[in-house]
Amino acid sequence: MKTISVLDKSFEEYISHRDIINRIKEIAENINTHFEGKDPLFLGVLNGSFIFAAELYQRIEVPSNMSFVKVSSYSGTKSTEHIKQLIGFDIPVKDRNIIIVEDIIDSGLTMTHVLEQLSDMGVKSVAIATLLFKPNSFRGSYKVDYKGFDIPNDFIVGFGLDYDGYGRNYDCIYKIKQ
Ligand code: IMP
Ligand code: MG
């Protein structure tokens, strides 16, 4: 089992690159089927989603657009309770079928924030695609349409996900060693 160090912590391989890519291919096939003729607009949520978004979007075969929004938790003790909008919507979303692309849905608050913003903007529909989902942490009240993997509440890095800004570059998912 491959082990890596990121800053002061050790992580072990949890989901291989091959398993991630195979799952992304399945998600892309489903989206290609469901969104044929629907001209979807993919909205990646930065920073974490950039690798998943790139791997997913290269496998999308329906005419569509891709853009990004950037949100971030405030640093501090209640890190997930206050969300900052750092880059907003740079492309009209009115009357579009939106597919939000996230790396991970944990408590679900970041996604709630993005959904609240979109709810005032006259979109035609909203779907959610996330590579990773923590069912035991999720407190949202919305449906997650496309999920790569359900994972336990362990902290993970790699494939875009970071620990204090580091570790995004690894091509598979690593789980923290207890
Ligand atoms: P949520 O708002 O609690 O759903 O968390 C969303 C954000 O927290 C994600 O977009 C990630 O940036 C970050 N996050 C949650 N869990 C992890 C993890 O296990 N590793 C790295 N980042 C995480
Ligand atoms: Mg994220």
Side-chain angles (χ1 to χ4, degrees):
M1 185 62 66
K2 200 174 157 200
T3 298
I4 57 160
S5 293
V6 179
L7 300 175
D8 60 338
K9 301 210 187 308
S10 296
F11 294 82
E12 60 192 6
E13 189 176 323
Y14 180 54
I15 308 174
S16 71
H17 184 72
R18 187 200 289 193
D19 286 352
I20 298 170
I21 296 298
N22 285 340
R23 191 73 187 104
I24 292 174
K25 284 180 186 163
E26 292 174 354
I27 293 172
E29 278 170 24
N30 288 335
I31 292 176
N32 285 330
T33 304
H34 300 160
F35 284 85
E36 194 169 357
K38 295 198 165 154
D39 190 25
L41 167 58
F42 291 80
L43 270 185
V45 182
L46 294 173
N47 289 326
S49 76
F50 74 109
I51 294 180
F52 172 48
E55 293 292 351
L56 179 70
Y57 199 53
Q58 288 173 83
R59 293 171 175 86
I60 295 302
E61 291 167 357
V62 298
S64 56
N65 307 126
M66 173 100 233
S67 185
F68 288 90
V69 293
K70 183 164 184 170
V71 295
S72 167
S73 306
Y74 280 114
S75 54
T77 46
K78 293 189 176 172
S79 60
T80 58
E81 305 259 316
H82 304 277
I83 313 293
K84 275 192 291 197
Q85 187 84 26
L86 303 174
I87 300 176
F89 302 92
D90 67 342
I91 186 169
V93 296
K94 190 166 162 15
D95 296 326
R96 297 297 303 268
N97 294 301
I98 309 293
I99 303 173
I100 304 172
V101 180
E102 254 291 23
D103 52 349
I104 186 165
I105 296 179
D106 184 336
S107 69
L109 286 170
T110 304
M111 185 60 69
T112 298
H113 174 83
V114 176
L115 290 170
E116 275 169 7
Q117 295 231 309
L118 282 171
S119 72
D120 303 332
M121 298 172 99
V123 301
K124 194 185 268 178
S125 68
V126 181
I128 296 172
T130 186
L131 180 61
L132 300 156
F133 183 69
K134 291 183 176 172
N136 300 329
S137 176
F138 185 61
R139 287 184 277 144
S141 53
Y142 46 86
K143 181 165 138 266
V144 178
D145 305 86
Y146 304 98
K147 258 192 296 183
F149 302 90
D150 278 347
I151 61 167
N153 280 354
D154 308 284
F155 191 75
I156 54 156
V157 294
F159 214 81
L161 288 117
D162 71 300
Y163 166 45
D164 265 359
Y166 289 86
R168 296 190 196 275
N169 49 312
Y170 293 102
D171 73 354
C172 58
I173 305 279
Y174 291 84
K175 182 164 90 174
I176 198 159
K177 273 176 100 167
Q178 300 301 343

